[in-house]
């Protein structure tokens, strides 16, 4: 491990990094109590240790249960728990700030809403994300085993750790008063949570209506038979963005980084890694999701040509037409 490289990335001293390593060793060997370690350690250090200890647990659980959605079940909970950790740590050290508590409150609203959405889809009832099954079918058992270890159980937890890193900047800034920019970024962050909630609710209503139509032939209010037969949602906010919920989700963790940049007065700081990894993750996972969807619904390719993946195309959106009209969509 190149300590000097770590120090350069974090913008800190080698003495500090070595002290954190020594403190962690003392805790792991029983020479320091949990409370002593917790209060004395740098909050990102203790958060990192927790995520590292969690990695073999989710991997072993996934192998034993043949269900690799263990991290999926932590996805809406772990980031907020980490931000809560930063808030508690800063409070115990007498440097808690209203800024950090506001961030925690918004993160908590994101967590509650996303956990509820995941639960009502059966996420905590033995449901494994369908994409893992598709990916499993494309790999040998050994390849998927390695993928489970390196990406699902390790990389994903690293991402969940790093997306909350801007809160460490809030801790470092301390309990100074709020600036105008704090109100702006808090409002933007809350708007992201609201947008994602609205998009997920609309998609839930569509999927519920689609399944009801398949079972009973009933067309729910607000939908048409043609829209439900198509199999994927193209109306409402989804007429302008194919994944407005994914857009809002990415922004939910990019905005805190921009907030931290505002506080430091620097466009780039070490916590950018979390925002970058999250955006890259969604680029890859969305491409894989759309590959599955377009194979299932041929008309999805037309939808892709008309509607932007995340950001709406200027002057173009999906237009539903009557059965007797020519064509399937039009560009405005």
């Amino acid at each position: 491990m190149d300590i000097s490289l770590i120090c350069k990335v974090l913008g800190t001293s080698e003495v500090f990094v070595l002290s954190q390593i020594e403190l962690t060793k003392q805790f792991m060997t029983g020479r320091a109590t949990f409370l002593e370690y917790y209060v004395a350690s740098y909050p990102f250090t203790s958060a990192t240790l927790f995520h590292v200890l969690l990695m073999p647990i989710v991997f072993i659980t996934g192998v034993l249960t043949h269900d690799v959605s263990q991290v999926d079940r932590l996805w809406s909970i772990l980031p907020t728990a980490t931000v809560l950790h930063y808030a508690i740590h800063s409070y115990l050290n007498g440097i808690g700030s209203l800024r950090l508590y506001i961030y925690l409150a918004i993160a908590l609203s994101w967590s509650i809403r996303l956990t509820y959405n995941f639960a009502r889809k059966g996420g905590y009832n033995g449901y494994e994300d369908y994409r893992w099954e598709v990916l499993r079918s494309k790999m040998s058992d050994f390849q998927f085993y390695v993928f489970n270890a390196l990406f699902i159980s390790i990389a994903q937890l690293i991402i969940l750790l790093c997306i909350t890193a801007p809160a460490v900047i809030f801790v470092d800034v301390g309990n100074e008063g709020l600036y105008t920019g704090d109100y702006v970024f808090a409002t933007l962050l809350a708007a992201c949570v609201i947008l994602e909630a609205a998009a997920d609710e609309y998609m839930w209503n569509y999927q519920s209506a689609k399944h009801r139509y398949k079972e009973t032939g009933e067309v729910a209010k607000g939908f048409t038979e043609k829209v439900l037969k198509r199999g994927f949602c193209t109306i409402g906010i989804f007429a302008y963005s194919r994944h407005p919920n994914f857009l809002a989700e990415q922004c939910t963790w990019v905005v805190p980084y921009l907030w931290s940049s505002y506080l430091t007065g620097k466009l780039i700081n070490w916590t950018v890694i979390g925002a970058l990894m999250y955006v890259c993750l969604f680029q890859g996972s969305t491409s894989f999701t759309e590959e599955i969807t377009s194979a299932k619904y041929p008309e999805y390719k037309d939808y892709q040509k008309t509607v932007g993946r995340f950001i709406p195309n200027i002057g173009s959106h999906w237009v539903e037409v009557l059965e007797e009209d020519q064509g399937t969509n039009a560009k405005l």
Side-chain angles (χ1 to χ4, degrees):
M1 180 184 295
D2 191 338
I3 299 298
S4 62
L5 177 60
I6 295 176
C7 295
K8 186 175 181 180
V9 172
L10 297 180
T12 188
S13 68
E14 188 170 333
V15 173
F16 171 76
V17 173
L18 291 174
S19 69
Q20 292 300 299
I21 294 175
E22 177 58 29
L23 185 60
T24 301
K25 286 181 179 178
Q26 291 179 10
F27 170 63
M28 296 297 290
T29 56
R31 288 179 290 156
T33 66
F34 171 76
L35 185 58
E36 289 173 337
Y37 170 73
Y38 187 80
V39 175
S41 67
Y42 190 58
F44 188 73
T45 304
S46 47
T48 299
L49 176 61
F50 176 75
H51 283 72
V52 169
L53 294 176
L54 198 57
M55 290 173 184
I57 296 176
V58 298
F59 174 70
I60 294 172
T61 302
V63 170
L64 293 178
T65 62
H66 303 287
D67 176 358
V68 296
S69 278
Q70 307 307 319
V71 178
D72 297 333
R73 298 183 180 98
L74 296 172
W75 202 273
S76 63
I77 301 171
L78 199 53
T80 299
T82 306
V83 176
L84 176 61
H85 150 65
Y86 292 138
I88 294 174
H89 184 279
S90 63
Y91 176 79
L92 292 177
N93 282 276
I95 54 175
S97 71
L98 180 58
R99 177 184 297 108
L100 182 56
Y101 300 149
I102 291 174
Y103 179 31
L104 173 60
I106 298 174
L108 183 60
S109 66
W110 169 86
S111 186
I112 292 172
R113 204 276 322 162
L114 197 60
T115 301
Y116 166 73
N117 192 57
F118 188 69
R120 68 178 174 177
K121 292 190 294 185
Y124 298 105
N125 296 323
Y127 162 84
E128 183 184 61
D129 192 309
Y130 70 94
R131 290 171 295 186
W132 296 137
E133 183 59 37
V134 173
L135 197 60
R136 188 185 280 111
S137 68
K138 296 177 181 291
M139 296 180 174
S140 66
D141 290 343
F142 177 74
Q143 288 174 326
F144 192 77
Y145 184 88
V146 173
F147 178 79
N148 179 22
L150 298 182
F151 178 76
I152 298 177
S153 303
I154 296 179
Q156 286 195 123
L157 285 175
I158 291 175
I159 292 173
L160 291 181
L161 167 68
C162 290
I163 59 174
T164 61
V168 179
I169 301 294
F170 296 0
V171 174
D172 291 341
V173 170
N175 53 10
E176 62 181 35
L178 299 179
Y179 304 115
T180 300
D182 291 310
Y183 295 104
V184 172
F185 283 111
T187 301
L188 286 174
L189 190 56
C192 291
V193 175
I194 293 171
L195 174 60
E196 184 175 8
D200 277 346
E201 189 65 23
Y202 200 93
M203 178 58 76
W204 172 261
N205 291 336
Y206 172 78
Q207 292 294 342
S208 298
K210 182 179 75 172
H211 291 305
R212 186 160 61 248
Y213 171 74
K214 286 182 177 181
E215 294 174 358
T216 66
E218 175 189 352
V219 177
K221 184 178 179 180
F223 300 97
T224 66
E225 185 175 10
K226 181 179 180 180
V227 168
L228 297 177
K229 276 185 175 181
R230 181 174 290 120
F232 57 91
C233 189
T234 58
I235 59 179
I237 193 174
F238 289 89
Y240 299 89
S241 170
R242 303 200 300 270
H243 304 283
N245 48 343
F246 291 177
L247 171 63
E249 174 69 12
Q250 292 172 84
C251 290
T252 298
W253 299 105
V254 170
V255 168
Y257 170 71
L258 297 177
W259 195 349
S260 74
S261 295
Y262 165 77
L263 292 172
T264 59
K266 298 179 181 179
L267 181 59
I268 303 296
N269 65 63
W270 69 273
T271 67
V272 71
I273 187 65
L276 287 177
M277 287 194 297
Y278 210 62
V279 170
C280 289
L281 173 67
F282 268 82
Q283 297 303 316
S285 65
T286 302
S287 293
F288 184 50
T289 299
E290 292 203 323
E291 179 184 332
I292 297 172
T293 304
S294 60
K296 189 175 182 180
Y297 306 110
E299 198 175 351
Y300 194 79
K301 291 182 174 63
D302 295 326
Y303 180 55
Q304 288 175 303
K305 294 175 182 177
T306 305
V307 180
R309 173 184 279 194
F310 301 124
I311 301 174
N313 293 330
I314 297 176
S316 176
H317 68 274
W318 186 270
V319 178
E320 287 297 328
V321 295
L322 299 176
E323 294 288 348
E324 62 269 18
D325 290 341
Q326 296 295 319
T328 58
N329 67 83
K331 292 183 178 182
L332 297 180

